[in-house]
Amino acid sequence: MKFSHSLQFNAVPDWIDHYVAYDHLKKLIFQIEKEKVDAFNNSSDPEKMTSHVSQGEDKFLSQLDMQLEKVFDFYSQKETELYSRLDALDTTLSECMPTQNLYHDMQVHYPNMNTPLSNLDSTVNLPSTNSIKEVIVTKEHPKENRRKMSFESRMSTQSNTDHQNFVDQLVDLRSQLISLYVSLSELDSYVELNRMAFEKILKKHDKVLDGDLRSQYLKKMVLDSRPFMPQTAEALRAQIERVEHIYADAFCNSHVSLAVRQMKTHLRDQITYDRNTVWKDMVSQERKTLDAHVKESKPPKMRKLPFTQLEIRAELMNTLIAFFSSVIIFIILLNVDIFGDRQENYCFALLIFAAVMWATEAIPLYATSLMIPFLVVPLGILRNADGTQMAAKAASKAVFQSMFSGTVMMLLGGFSLAAALSKYGIAKAFASHVLSRAGTRPRWVLLAIMSVATFLCMWISNVATPVLCFSLINPILRTLPDGSVVAPCLLLGIALASCIGGMTSPISSPQNIVTLQYMSPNPGWGIWFGVALPISILSVICCWGALLLVYKPDRAVPHLNKIKPTRDKITWSQVFVMAVTILTIALWCAESSIEEHIGDTGIIAAIPLFVFFGTGILGKDDLNAFLWSVVVLAQGGMALGNAVTSSGLLQDIALQIKDGVQDLEPIAILAIFCFLILVFSTFVSHTVAALIIVPIVQQVGQNLPVPHPNLLVMGAGLACSAGMGLPVSGYPNMSAVMMEDPTGKPYLKTKDFLIVGVPISVIVTLLIFTLGYGIMAGVGY
């Protein structure tokens, strides 16, 4: 939770205007930061720029002083008020009540001072107000000490009316004590929250504006102010203890622990009420904020269902059309004899059905994957080794075996590495330190952030990397002039670099996991790096040049706000995470050398899983946060691939394609498949493109006169990451197109992706079947 939310959530609602205006001060810091960058870009005189920055600092200090004075005044007022109330209440109790316990002789049993606190609940029965009113005592009192006479003796000489009034006064005094205890506790919390607010805002100031105000202002101003002095805290704590002892002496037979327990029950109830009230206000404000970002509050488009008077949302109508169209195509293909074999016909119908469902997203992608095993077995698609139809029990076993393999295990291992690197701030620390050395020129900042995005994709996947990089450049985005072309340039650079980074390592994207499933022998990390890294580096440089050519960021803004590196100290947890990560990657790279001992890369992937979760580095929440939808999508694709292979359909299709391409050179065949996948992955998910086309490519390569299955499969897998010409082309593009400026206006439009993304997609594809082909042929593929 952000501190601004925490402050509001824990504040006393009635005092909310008297806390430090944290949000106001934070906005002022960002405003000074923006003015500082503007002055740096627009002012040729360094003295004027220094003067302008100094004015902003003076304004911030002035606002800090105002906030400190506000806290001082309110605290002094509440302190005087509450202490006076306590003195008056103490006087009233000492004058009106006996010195002994008020309920001592009311037939209410209280424990002695030495009774264990754990036994209090079973030994104490507090009287209700009605039971107090019904107490009648008849003891006599000595005349020589009327003021200190017992409560019973007083009650015996009082009329019923006096008795009623006295009990009412007793209940009122008890309520006042509890109310005073709650108020003093809230005042203590008020001081602590405001002290944290000053610490946080000064830390934010030093981080954003690269200053050193925190230590000076805290020591000389905040901690020297009366509310935050140690003596003041001790005095307040003493007053709270005073209330506890008064309550204990009056109502709990001098048992302070029991008194504290009773009063804290009321304190918890008050805090719960306050927080519920504040939470509702926060939700209401959040809704108003979100509503302010909506430019046009149009009702959703409605369409009428054919042959009925019912109207449904247009989006739902499109989904229903896509779903029923897929089902109709499926039913038709089930009844058409295309290949002369029932298993192959049914498998072809299932393949087209799944492809259409994935392409149109009639239902979520992972839901389609979950439907595939359900259809494979009843349709009787799988065959035995002798060509006969596999029995349902054996078929179901084969389907589920195909859905979990070493490749899926490696995907989970990659998720655990990504989760640990992100959770402990290692990825962010690395990225911020690299960007802090990039300077302020837009061209070098753009190259740096693209390089960082590409590198991080190797370890934390191209799904999570864009989100991290977008947060890293937020200090730049918030200081740019309105409508600046630098913002879309940077965001598009991150998105395209992340798409390119999706090919850099076996765990950098789901399509690579699918590709590895169809490569035998497994290329290992060494060969993958050797092929993918040169292509990725050249692609990023070409993309960087295209962005500079289209947007010309140096002309728009000569200098950008400098990214500040994280100043947190390295922890032992971070060292441990890095050690496990390096060990895992090293074993993956050496997998071919230790294959006879390890067996599969999936076994190595188990290392980070059991180490991180076993030592508490990652927990249950981290496990739940894994991209399980991607895992299910990959498993469904594997089940479909197994069905297509077992039915003989894949070999039949491959043989027909082979007849058309067998006279071509392998580089020409690779080029054809690369461009086919490029078109497919541009309009649908990269992972879906790999699921549908890579199995076919593998069979074609295996049936060539000179087999090249690994060459074609790896080339096709890399080409899946080249599709980046539309906002829907991959996770990075979808994340980038959702980014908005403070007014709610999107930074990027479809034309931005078309202008830069389409040419870069073609360039990357050319590099794959030229440079990539040369490297793969050189390693024997």
Side-chain angles (χ1 to χ4, degrees), residues 172-190:
D172 181 60
L173 289 172
R174 184 172 182 268
S175 299
Q176 289 186 50
L177 271 175
I178 292 172
S179 174
L180 193 57
Y181 179 81
V182 170
S183 296
L184 287 170
S185 300
E186 288 177 336
L187 187 62
D188 187 32
S189 172
Y190 171 83

Side-chain angles (χ1 to χ4, degrees), residues 320-341:
L320 290 175
I321 291 174
F323 177 77
F324 286 115
S325 299
S326 304
V327 172
I328 291 171
I329 293 172
F330 181 50
I331 294 173
I332 292 173
L333 290 176
L334 285 175
N335 293 279
V336 175
D337 187 5
I338 300 176
F339 297 93
D341 183 88

